[in-house]
Structures are given as C-alpha cells and as structure tokens.
Amino acid sequence: MASPEDERAWEEQRLGPVVRRRDQVQKGTTDQRLLDTAEGDTDWVHTDPWRVMRIQSEFVEGFGALAELPSAISVFGSARTPVGSPEYETGVELGRALVEAGFAVITGGGPGVMEAANRGAREAKGVSVGLGIELPFEQGMNPHVDIGVNFRYFFVRKTMFVKYAQGFVVLPGGMGTLDELFEALTLVQTRKVTRFPIVLFGTEYWSGLVDWLRDTVVAQGKASEHDLLLFHVTDDVDEAVALVSKETGK
C-alpha cells in the first residue's frame, strides 16, 4: 500500500487552468506544441479547443453587428414559399407593417418568407437584418438584407434571434421554423426571457399543432393550461403587429 508521501510524489503538469497528473501528463508545453507544429499538420483546426475559439468569434461578430439595432421582431417561415404566393405577399406586408410600427425586422436571411419579410422592411425604409446559417445546400443571403451575418453554429444564431428581438412572428414553415418556435416557447415558459410575445400567423396552418398541444400534451399533464397562453394565433397583419407592440411597450 502506497504511503501518503508516495501518493504526493506523482508528476503534475499545469496547462493554464487545467491540471494533469500521473499518466495524463502531456509531453512538452502548450506554446512548444504551437511553435513546433510540423509542416502540413492542420489537424489542430478541427480540434474542440479551436472550435471554441470559432464559437467565441461568432458571438463577438454577432454582438458587434447587432448591438445598435433598434427594437426588432424576428420573423420566421418557410424558405420554400414561392415568390408571389399569398404567404409571400403576407410576409412582405408584415415586414412593412413592423417597420411602420417602429421595429427592425430580423429573419434567417434566406429565400421564401424570410426574403418576403426583409423585402417589406427594406421597401418601408426600415432596418432589414438577415442571420444566415452554413448549410450543405447553400441558400445565400437574400438581396433585401441590409445587415447580414452568417453563422456556422445554429446555437449561436439562435442566441442572436432572441437577444436582439423583442418578439417573434412565426409564419407557416417546416422543421427549422418549428425548431425556432419551440426554442422561444421554452425560453418564455422557463422565464429565461420575459415580455417576449410569440405570434403564430395562419390559423389554418397552426390549428392542428394548437389542438395537439391542448388535447394531448396539456391533457396528459405534460404541460400546463397556462402554457397555451404563451402564444397568440391570428390571420391579420395589423393584429400581429398590435400584439407584439402591446407586449413590448411600443
């Protein structure tokens, strides 16, 4: 059995805030490994510590680009909505109405409903913002964005949508739209954000989801009746703008 003195005789290595002992000690020092990297060795750009730096840089760039925005509303909806369709025209009308109510408009920067809301905001001479995301199928930033930021990481982008908006208006959309919607509902439900209105636009589209939440999720005790008050459903642009204006104190 080793004595206390023997136990304290282990090799110890301090690498910044990290302590390594016994067989976890690494050879050399951090700056030695940085300066002695072999030619052609690029594996380090794919390591987790380097990813942390990239994540940090995305937060810094996003905060820097958006910090001086006026009050804003994030508008979500399908990238597949055709130009000229009723949903597209609703997006244009909504973007325009939000600017006229004193808001900047933030979208995901892509085509479809996002493009429509950005277009309405630009045509109303408001601030039109697009927060893009790196995807295998490249969408690109739509031409109606005046301030655009592209992100590698979804969770950084999601932070920007919530941090720099005072509310969400959610038009019919797919998986990405649902992801953003439930992220926002969770943040409001858990009181991570306060005074954050969420408006679902299109009663026919959203009624099935609302019925399921009420008749299955709430009915089985997985959520409370009060959670159904976390969002509003409407078919009227003026009502949608009035709802976000009222709850944000506009």
Side-chain angles (χ1 to χ4, degrees):
M1 181 176 179
S3 66
E5 289 76 14
D6 292 335
E7 284 296 321
R8 287 195 295 269
W10 60 60
E11 186 177 1
E12 182 174 280
Q13 180 185 49
R14 295 182 179 271
L15 303 172
V18 179
V19 175
R20 289 181 173 272
R21 291 172 174 164
R22 291 177 281 273
D23 58 351
Q24 294 302 313
V25 171
Q26 296 179 341
K27 294 180 179 180
T29 63
T30 302
D31 54 358
Q32 182 186 73
R33 287 192 295 276
L34 171 65
L35 298 174
D36 286 352
T37 301
E39 184 178 354
D41 180 9
T42 59
D43 289 346
W44 58 275
V45 301
H46 304 294
T47 63
D48 285 342
W50 184 252
R51 289 191 182 100
V52 170
M53 297 300 292
R54 278 183 170 171
I55 292 166
Q56 177 179 307
S57 72
E58 289 206 349
F59 276 113
V60 171
E61 291 294 339
F63 290 163
L66 305 175
E68 297 180 352
L69 279 184
S71 296
I73 299 296
S74 289
V75 178
F76 298 99
S78 177
R80 303 180 185 186
T81 299
V83 175
S85 66
E87 282 181 14
Y88 185 95
E89 295 305 323
T90 295
V92 174
E93 185 182 353
L94 178 63
R96 185 182 299 116
L98 286 169
V99 167
E100 291 170 352
F103 294 105
V105 172
I106 302 173
T107 79
V113 166
M114 294 175 281
E115 175 186 308
N118 285 134
R119 176 178 171 180
R122 184 186 64 80
E123 290 178 351
K125 302 189 185 307
V127 180
S128 176
V129 180
L131 306 181
I133 185 69
E134 179 183 288
L135 294 172
F137 41 94
E138 198 62 44
Q139 292 184 331
M141 199 72 71
N142 74 66
H144 303 288
V145 168
D146 295 322
I147 300 175
V149 185
N150 278 303
F151 296 93
R152 288 186 176 92
Y153 301 99
F154 267 116
F155 59 87
V156 180
R157 182 183 186 231
K158 286 181 178 180
T159 299
M160 303 302 159
F161 277 132
V162 176
K163 179 173 175 59
Y164 292 105
Q166 280 66 56
F168 284 0
V169 179
V170 189
L171 278 73
M175 297 300 185
T177 301
L178 292 171
D179 178 44
E180 298 293 352
L181 168 60
F182 279 98
E183 174 92 5
L185 286 172
T186 301
L187 291 173
V188 176
Q189 182 199 48
T190 56
R191 300 183 183 178
K192 294 294 186 181
V193 294
T194 57
R195 293 178 60 84
F196 198 88
I198 300 169
V199 178
L200 305 184
F201 196 97
T203 54
E204 182 179 359
Y205 188 84
W206 295 112
S207 61
L209 175 63
V210 175
D211 290 345
W212 175 75
L213 288 172
R214 182 186 62 246
D215 299 337
T216 301
V217 180
V218 173
Q220 294 186 13
K222 305 298 191 296
S224 71
E225 192 76 28
H226 179 76
D227 291 333
L228 297 177
L229 303 178
L230 300 178
F231 57 87
H232 310 274
V233 185
T234 184
D235 288 312
D236 185 79
V237 168
D238 291 336
E239 183 180 11
V241 174
L243 286 166
V244 295
S245 298
K246 177 181 178 181
E247 293 200 30
T248 57
K250 274 280 189 181

